Amino acid sequence: EAGVAQSPRYKIIEKRQSVAFWCNPISGHATLYWYQQILGQGPKLLIQFQNNGVVDDSQLPKDRFSAERLKGVDSTLKIQPAKLEDSAVYLCASSFRATGELFFGEGSRLTVL
Amino acid sequence: QKEVEQNSGPLSVPEGAIASLNCTYSDRGSQSFFWYRQYSGKSPELIMSIYSNGDKEDGRFTAQLNKASQYVSLLIRDSQPSDSATYLCAVNMPLAGNQFYFGTGTSLTVIP
């Protein structure tokens, strides 16, 4: 069974530029999460989707971050404009149900200069 | 108070010893508790889940839960160098929309 796919693996941009990350969850997993993990910290939930609806985006900085999950399958997370403090690994995870048993992708490492 | 707290470590144990990792949480209504392992430069992977008070064993791993004390722990018996990683505790938070909050993780090094 294929795991959670993410791309790109690495991205370097300058502040105020934009970037987009893509995630394809495990087939059949209705719940999709985007987490931000800053070096030395635990993952922080940005947004949770159930199928193509948003369950929770309370910690998403909506002035610069946006995310969508069209057709309830793959998802895109966008940052525009990026700030230095956005440098982090962006982890996508999926689960069959919203039970906390998450399967993570390899992550997308963003460096903002 | 942070929602989920862990000692950041680093924790060093000799090979073959028992490693004990601890986690406390703030929401008394929490019902689901998870331990994830994260190797350096990799993404977290689930190793244990526990939902009821007491112990749950899976191979060399034992999760312990005490809801009254709002405390969950992970014991690793016969520690191996391959166990060297950061261990993340995750807890659901009913007071926060039932989202899963992660601790900052405890770094474990098993010395051969």
Side-chain angles (χ1 to χ4, degrees), chain A residues 9 33 35 37 40-43 45 48 55-56 59 91 98-102 104-107 109, chain B residues 32 34 36 38 41-46 49 51 88 90 96-105:
Chain A
R9 290 292 314 280
Y33 310 78
Y35 282 88
Q37 188 172 26
Q41 298 183 18
L45 179 68
Q48 176 183 342
V55 173
D56 189 303
Q59 298 190 90
L91 296 165
T99 59
E101 297 182 357
L102 308 182
F104 284 88
E106 292 185 316
R109 182 178 298 275
Chain B
S32 304
F34 305 88
Y36 285 80
Q38 186 171 28
K42 302 295 185 182
S43 57
E45 58 176 328
L46 179 67
S49 59
Y51 304 94
L88 297 162
N98 213 31
Q99 295 310 313
F100 290 92
Y101 279 72
F102 284 81
T104 55

Short mmCIF file of all heavy atoms in Angstrom, two decimals, chain A residues 9 33 35 37 40-43 45 48 55-56 59 91 98-102 104-107 109, chain B residues 32 34 36 38 41-46 49 51 88 90 96-105:
data_model
loop_
_atom_site.label_atom_id
_atom_site.label_comp_id
_atom_site.label_asym_id
_atom_site.label_seq_id
_atom_site.Cartn_x
_atom_site.Cartn_y
_atom_site.Cartn_z
N ARG A 9 10.17 17.94 -1.72
CA ARG A 9 10.82 17.58 -0.46
C ARG A 9 11.54 18.76 0.15
O ARG A 9 11.60 18.91 1.37
CB ARG A 9 11.82 16.44 -0.68
CG ARG A 9 11.20 15.10 -0.99
CD ARG A 9 10.45 14.51 0.22
NE ARG A 9 11.18 14.59 1.47
CZ ARG A 9 12.15 13.76 1.83
NH1 ARG A 9 12.50 12.78 1.03
NH2 ARG A 9 12.75 13.89 3.00
N TYR A 33 -4.39 15.93 7.33
CA TYR A 33 -3.86 16.97 8.23
C TYR A 33 -2.64 17.61 7.60
O TYR A 33 -1.82 16.93 6.98
CB TYR A 33 -3.43 16.36 9.55
CG TYR A 33 -4.41 15.45 10.25
CD1 TYR A 33 -4.58 14.14 9.82
CD2 TYR A 33 -5.12 15.88 11.36
CE1 TYR A 33 -5.46 13.28 10.48
CE2 TYR A 33 -5.99 15.03 12.03
CZ TYR A 33 -6.16 13.73 11.58
OH TYR A 33 -7.02 12.89 12.23
N TYR A 35 0.58 19.66 9.21
CA TYR A 35 1.28 20.08 10.42
C TYR A 35 2.51 20.90 10.04
O TYR A 35 3.13 20.65 9.01
CB TYR A 35 1.75 18.88 11.24
CG TYR A 35 0.68 18.19 12.06
CD1 TYR A 35 -0.09 17.18 11.50
CD2 TYR A 35 0.45 18.54 13.38
CE1 TYR A 35 -1.08 16.54 12.25
CE2 TYR A 35 -0.52 17.91 14.14
CZ TYR A 35 -1.28 16.91 13.56
OH TYR A 35 -2.24 16.28 14.31
N GLN A 37 6.25 21.72 11.57
CA GLN A 37 7.21 21.33 12.61
C GLN A 37 8.46 22.18 12.48
O GLN A 37 9.24 22.03 11.54
CB GLN A 37 7.56 19.84 12.54
CG GLN A 37 8.41 19.41 13.74
CD GLN A 37 8.64 17.91 13.81
OE1 GLN A 37 8.61 17.22 12.80
NE2 GLN A 37 8.87 17.39 15.01
N GLY A 40 13.26 21.35 16.54
CA GLY A 40 13.29 21.24 17.99
C GLY A 40 11.93 21.29 18.65
O GLY A 40 11.83 21.22 19.88
N GLN A 41 10.87 21.37 17.85
CA GLN A 41 9.52 21.42 18.41
C GLN A 41 8.69 20.24 17.91
O GLN A 41 9.05 19.59 16.93
CB GLN A 41 8.85 22.74 18.03
CG GLN A 41 9.56 23.97 18.57
CD GLN A 41 8.83 25.25 18.23
OE1 GLN A 41 7.65 25.26 17.88
NE2 GLN A 41 9.53 26.38 18.35
N GLY A 42 7.57 20.02 18.57
CA GLY A 42 6.66 19.00 18.09
C GLY A 42 5.81 19.54 16.95
O GLY A 42 5.74 20.76 16.74
N PRO A 43 5.19 18.66 16.19
CA PRO A 43 4.31 19.11 15.11
C PRO A 43 3.15 19.95 15.64
O PRO A 43 2.56 19.61 16.66
CB PRO A 43 3.82 17.80 14.48
CG PRO A 43 4.82 16.77 14.89
CD PRO A 43 5.29 17.19 16.24
N LEU A 45 -0.57 21.45 14.53
CA LEU A 45 -1.62 21.32 13.53
C LEU A 45 -1.95 22.66 12.91
O LEU A 45 -2.22 23.64 13.60
CB LEU A 45 -2.88 20.73 14.17
CG LEU A 45 -4.07 20.55 13.24
CD1 LEU A 45 -3.78 19.48 12.19
CD2 LEU A 45 -5.34 20.21 14.02
N GLN A 48 -7.09 20.61 9.44
CA GLN A 48 -7.57 19.24 9.33
C GLN A 48 -8.77 19.22 8.39
O GLN A 48 -9.70 20.02 8.54
CB GLN A 48 -7.96 18.68 10.69
CG GLN A 48 -8.55 17.28 10.64
CD GLN A 48 -9.00 16.77 12.00
OE1 GLN A 48 -8.61 17.31 13.03
NE2 GLN A 48 -9.83 15.75 12.00
N VAL A 55 -12.30 20.67 9.04
CA VAL A 55 -12.74 20.37 10.41
C VAL A 55 -12.21 21.41 11.37
O VAL A 55 -12.92 21.86 12.28
CB VAL A 55 -12.27 18.96 10.82
CG1 VAL A 55 -12.58 18.71 12.29
CG2 VAL A 55 -12.89 17.90 9.94
N ASP A 56 -10.95 21.77 11.21
CA ASP A 56 -10.31 22.72 12.12
C ASP A 56 -9.20 23.45 11.39
O ASP A 56 -8.34 22.80 10.79
CB ASP A 56 -9.75 21.99 13.34
CG ASP A 56 -9.28 22.96 14.43
OD1 ASP A 56 -8.42 23.81 14.14
OD2 ASP A 56 -9.75 22.85 15.58
N GLN A 59 -5.53 27.18 13.92
CA GLN A 59 -4.14 27.59 14.08
C GLN A 59 -3.47 27.92 12.74
O GLN A 59 -2.26 28.08 12.69
CB GLN A 59 -3.35 26.49 14.81
CG GLN A 59 -3.88 26.22 16.22
CD GLN A 59 -2.96 25.32 17.03
OE1 GLN A 59 -2.05 25.79 17.72
NE2 GLN A 59 -3.17 24.02 16.91
N LEU A 91 4.44 18.89 7.32
CA LEU A 91 4.10 17.47 7.32
C LEU A 91 2.63 17.29 6.96
O LEU A 91 1.76 17.93 7.54
CB LEU A 91 4.34 16.86 8.71
CG LEU A 91 5.78 16.83 9.20
CD1 LEU A 91 5.82 16.54 10.69
CD2 LEU A 91 6.57 15.77 8.44
N ALA A 98 -10.64 10.04 12.18
CA ALA A 98 -9.93 11.04 12.99
C ALA A 98 -9.68 10.49 14.39
O ALA A 98 -10.22 10.97 15.38
CB ALA A 98 -10.75 12.32 13.05
N THR A 99 -8.82 9.44 14.44
CA THR A 99 -8.60 8.76 15.71
C THR A 99 -7.27 9.09 16.35
O THR A 99 -7.00 8.66 17.46
CB THR A 99 -8.62 7.23 15.48
OG1 THR A 99 -7.59 6.90 14.53
CG2 THR A 99 -9.97 6.79 14.96
N GLY A 100 -6.42 9.81 15.64
CA GLY A 100 -5.10 10.09 16.18
C GLY A 100 -4.04 9.14 15.68
O GLY A 100 -2.86 9.35 15.92
N GLU A 101 -4.43 8.09 15.00
CA GLU A 101 -3.46 7.16 14.43
C GLU A 101 -3.13 7.69 13.03
O GLU A 101 -3.79 7.36 12.05
CB GLU A 101 -4.04 5.75 14.38
CG GLU A 101 -4.33 5.23 15.79
CD GLU A 101 -4.86 3.81 15.80
OE1 GLU A 101 -5.06 3.24 14.71
OE2 GLU A 101 -5.09 3.27 16.89
N LEU A 102 -2.12 8.52 13.01
CA LEU A 102 -1.78 9.25 11.80
C LEU A 102 -0.64 8.59 11.05
O LEU A 102 0.29 8.05 11.65
CB LEU A 102 -1.36 10.69 12.17
CG LEU A 102 -2.31 11.49 13.04
CD1 LEU A 102 -1.77 12.88 13.27
CD2 LEU A 102 -3.69 11.54 12.43
N PHE A 104 2.20 9.71 8.42
CA PHE A 104 2.83 10.93 7.93
C PHE A 104 3.55 10.70 6.61
O PHE A 104 4.12 9.63 6.37
CB PHE A 104 3.84 11.46 8.94
CG PHE A 104 3.22 12.14 10.13
CD1 PHE A 104 2.86 11.40 11.25
CD2 PHE A 104 3.01 13.50 10.14
CE1 PHE A 104 2.29 12.01 12.36
CE2 PHE A 104 2.45 14.12 11.25
CZ PHE A 104 2.09 13.37 12.35
N GLY A 105 3.55 11.73 5.78
CA GLY A 105 4.43 11.75 4.63
C GLY A 105 5.84 12.13 5.05
O GLY A 105 6.10 12.37 6.23
N GLU A 106 6.75 12.18 4.08
CA GLU A 106 8.15 12.46 4.39
C GLU A 106 8.38 13.93 4.72
O GLU A 106 9.43 14.29 5.23
CB GLU A 106 9.04 12.03 3.24
CG GLU A 106 9.07 10.51 3.05
CD GLU A 106 10.06 10.11 1.98
OE1 GLU A 106 10.09 10.74 0.91
OE2 GLU A 106 10.82 9.14 2.22
N GLY A 107 7.42 14.78 4.43
CA GLY A 107 7.55 16.18 4.77
C GLY A 107 8.15 17.03 3.67
O GLY A 107 8.87 16.52 2.79
N ARG A 109 10.50 20.37 3.44
CA ARG A 109 11.31 21.28 4.24
C ARG A 109 11.41 22.62 3.54
O ARG A 109 11.92 22.70 2.42
CB ARG A 109 12.71 20.70 4.47
CG ARG A 109 13.59 21.58 5.35
CD ARG A 109 14.96 20.95 5.58
NE ARG A 109 14.84 19.67 6.28
CZ ARG A 109 14.75 19.52 7.59
NH1 ARG A 109 14.80 20.59 8.37
NH2 ARG A 109 14.65 18.32 8.13
N SER B 32 -7.53 9.78 24.30
CA SER B 32 -6.69 9.03 23.36
C SER B 32 -5.26 9.53 23.46
O SER B 32 -5.02 10.74 23.43
CB SER B 32 -7.20 9.23 21.93
OG SER B 32 -8.55 8.86 21.82
N PHE B 34 -1.04 8.74 22.33
CA PHE B 34 -0.22 8.09 21.32
C PHE B 34 1.25 8.41 21.54
O PHE B 34 1.60 9.51 22.00
CB PHE B 34 -0.62 8.57 19.91
CG PHE B 34 -2.09 8.37 19.62
CD1 PHE B 34 -3.01 9.33 19.96
CD2 PHE B 34 -2.53 7.20 19.02
CE1 PHE B 34 -4.36 9.15 19.72
CE2 PHE B 34 -3.88 7.01 18.77
CZ PHE B 34 -4.79 7.98 19.11
N TYR B 36 4.71 8.53 19.23
CA TYR B 36 5.30 8.49 17.91
C TYR B 36 6.82 8.54 18.05
O TYR B 36 7.35 9.20 18.94
CB TYR B 36 4.85 9.70 17.07
CG TYR B 36 3.43 9.61 16.56
CD1 TYR B 36 2.34 9.92 17.38
CD2 TYR B 36 3.18 9.22 15.25
CE1 TYR B 36 1.04 9.83 16.91
CE2 TYR B 36 1.88 9.13 14.77
CZ TYR B 36 0.82 9.44 15.60
OH TYR B 36 -0.46 9.36 15.13
N GLN B 38 10.35 9.55 16.02
CA GLN B 38 10.81 10.36 14.90
C GLN B 38 12.33 10.29 14.84
O GLN B 38 13.03 10.85 15.69
CB GLN B 38 10.34 11.81 15.02
CG GLN B 38 10.67 12.66 13.81
CD GLN B 38 10.02 14.04 13.84
OE1 GLN B 38 9.74 14.59 14.91
NE2 GLN B 38 9.76 14.61 12.67
N GLY B 41 15.61 13.81 10.86
CA GLY B 41 15.38 14.09 9.44
C GLY B 41 14.24 13.32 8.82
O GLY B 41 14.02 13.42 7.61
N LYS B 42 13.54 12.55 9.63
CA LYS B 42 12.42 11.75 9.13
C LYS B 42 11.11 12.23 9.72
O LYS B 42 11.09 13.11 10.59
CB LYS B 42 12.63 10.27 9.48
CG LYS B 42 13.92 9.68 8.92
CD LYS B 42 13.90 9.65 7.41
CE LYS B 42 15.14 8.96 6.86
NZ LYS B 42 15.16 8.95 5.37
N SER B 43 10.02 11.67 9.26
CA SER B 43 8.72 12.06 9.78
C SER B 43 8.30 11.12 10.91
O SER B 43 8.84 10.02 11.05
CB SER B 43 7.69 12.04 8.65
OG SER B 43 7.64 10.78 8.05
N PRO B 44 7.38 11.54 11.75
CA PRO B 44 6.95 10.69 12.87
C PRO B 44 6.24 9.42 12.40
O PRO B 44 5.55 9.42 11.38
CB PRO B 44 5.96 11.60 13.64
CG PRO B 44 6.28 12.99 13.20
CD PRO B 44 6.72 12.87 11.78
N GLU B 45 6.43 8.35 13.17
CA GLU B 45 5.71 7.11 12.92
C GLU B 45 5.10 6.62 14.22
O GLU B 45 5.72 6.68 15.28
CB GLU B 45 6.63 6.04 12.31
CG GLU B 45 7.83 5.70 13.17
CD GLU B 45 8.66 4.57 12.59
OE1 GLU B 45 8.11 3.66 11.92
OE2 GLU B 45 9.89 4.59 12.83
N LEU B 46 3.88 6.14 14.13
CA LEU B 46 3.15 5.69 15.31
C LEU B 46 3.74 4.39 15.83
O LEU B 46 3.95 3.45 15.06
CB LEU B 46 1.68 5.49 14.96
CG LEU B 46 0.77 4.99 16.07
CD1 LEU B 46 0.63 6.05 17.16
CD2 LEU B 46 -0.59 4.61 15.51
N SER B 49 -0.47 3.18 20.92
CA SER B 49 -1.65 3.95 21.30
C SER B 49 -2.20 3.34 22.58
O SER B 49 -2.06 2.13 22.82
CB SER B 49 -2.71 3.91 20.20
OG SER B 49 -3.10 2.59 19.94
N TYR B 51 -5.66 3.86 25.46
CA TYR B 51 -6.91 4.56 25.69
C TYR B 51 -7.44 4.37 27.11
O TYR B 51 -8.28 5.14 27.57
CB TYR B 51 -7.98 4.08 24.71
CG TYR B 51 -7.56 4.22 23.26
CD1 TYR B 51 -6.98 3.15 22.59
CD2 TYR B 51 -7.74 5.41 22.57
CE1 TYR B 51 -6.60 3.28 21.25
CE2 TYR B 51 -7.36 5.55 21.25
CZ TYR B 51 -6.79 4.47 20.59
OH TYR B 51 -6.40 4.60 19.29
N LEU B 88 7.69 11.38 20.50
CA LEU B 88 6.66 12.41 20.62
C LEU B 88 5.41 11.82 21.25
O LEU B 88 4.92 10.77 20.83
CB LEU B 88 6.29 12.96 19.23
CG LEU B 88 7.40 13.67 18.45
CD1 LEU B 88 7.03 13.75 16.98
CD2 LEU B 88 7.62 15.06 19.01
N ALA B 90 1.40 12.36 21.86
CA ALA B 90 0.28 13.08 21.26
C ALA B 90 -0.99 12.73 22.04
O ALA B 90 -1.21 11.56 22.38
CB ALA B 90 0.11 12.72 19.78
N ALA B 96 -10.15 21.60 22.97
CA ALA B 96 -9.61 22.29 21.80
C ALA B 96 -10.13 21.63 20.53
O ALA B 96 -9.36 21.29 19.63
CB ALA B 96 -8.09 22.29 21.84
N GLY B 97 -11.43 21.40 20.50
CA GLY B 97 -12.03 20.82 19.31
C GLY B 97 -11.65 19.38 19.07
O GLY B 97 -11.77 18.88 17.95
N ASN B 98 -11.17 18.72 20.12
CA ASN B 98 -10.77 17.32 20.05
C ASN B 98 -9.59 17.09 19.11
O ASN B 98 -9.39 16.00 18.59
CB ASN B 98 -11.94 16.42 19.62
CG ASN B 98 -11.86 15.05 20.27
OD1 ASN B 98 -11.37 14.90 21.38
ND2 ASN B 98 -12.32 14.03 19.56
N GLN B 99 -8.80 18.13 18.90
CA GLN B 99 -7.60 18.00 18.07
C GLN B 99 -6.50 17.29 18.85
O GLN B 99 -6.51 17.23 20.07
CB GLN B 99 -7.11 19.37 17.62
CG GLN B 99 -8.09 20.07 16.69
CD GLN B 99 -8.54 19.17 15.56
OE1 GLN B 99 -7.73 18.51 14.91
NE2 GLN B 99 -9.84 19.11 15.33
N PHE B 100 -5.56 16.76 18.10
CA PHE B 100 -4.44 16.04 18.70
C PHE B 100 -3.25 16.99 18.81
O PHE B 100 -2.78 17.54 17.82
CB PHE B 100 -4.09 14.82 17.87
CG PHE B 100 -5.14 13.76 17.98
CD1 PHE B 100 -6.19 13.71 17.07
CD2 PHE B 100 -5.12 12.84 19.01
CE1 PHE B 100 -7.19 12.76 17.20
CE2 PHE B 100 -6.10 11.89 19.14
CZ PHE B 100 -7.15 11.84 18.24
N TYR B 101 -2.79 17.17 20.04
CA TYR B 101 -1.65 18.02 20.31
C TYR B 101 -0.43 17.16 20.58
O TYR B 101 -0.51 16.16 21.30
CB TYR B 101 -1.91 18.93 21.52
CG TYR B 101 -2.72 20.16 21.19
CD1 TYR B 101 -4.08 20.05 20.91
CD2 TYR B 101 -2.14 21.41 21.14
CE1 TYR B 101 -4.83 21.18 20.60
CE2 TYR B 101 -2.87 22.54 20.84
CZ TYR B 101 -4.23 22.42 20.57
OH TYR B 101 -4.97 23.53 20.25
N PHE B 102 0.69 17.59 20.01
CA PHE B 102 1.94 16.90 20.22
C PHE B 102 2.79 17.64 21.25
O PHE B 102 2.78 18.87 21.32
CB PHE B 102 2.75 16.83 18.92
CG PHE B 102 2.25 15.81 17.94
CD1 PHE B 102 1.17 16.07 17.11
CD2 PHE B 102 2.89 14.58 17.84
CE1 PHE B 102 0.73 15.11 16.20
CE2 PHE B 102 2.46 13.63 16.93
CZ PHE B 102 1.37 13.89 16.11
N GLY B 103 3.53 16.87 22.04
CA GLY B 103 4.56 17.47 22.87
C GLY B 103 5.77 17.82 22.02
O GLY B 103 5.81 17.55 20.82
N THR B 104 6.77 18.40 22.66
CA THR B 104 7.97 18.81 21.93
C THR B 104 8.92 17.64 21.69
O THR B 104 9.86 17.76 20.90
CB THR B 104 8.73 19.90 22.69
OG1 THR B 104 9.01 19.43 24.01
CG2 THR B 104 7.91 21.18 22.77
N GLY B 105 8.64 16.51 22.34
CA GLY B 105 9.46 15.33 22.11
C GLY B 105 10.61 15.19 23.09
O GLY B 105 11.13 16.18 23.61
#
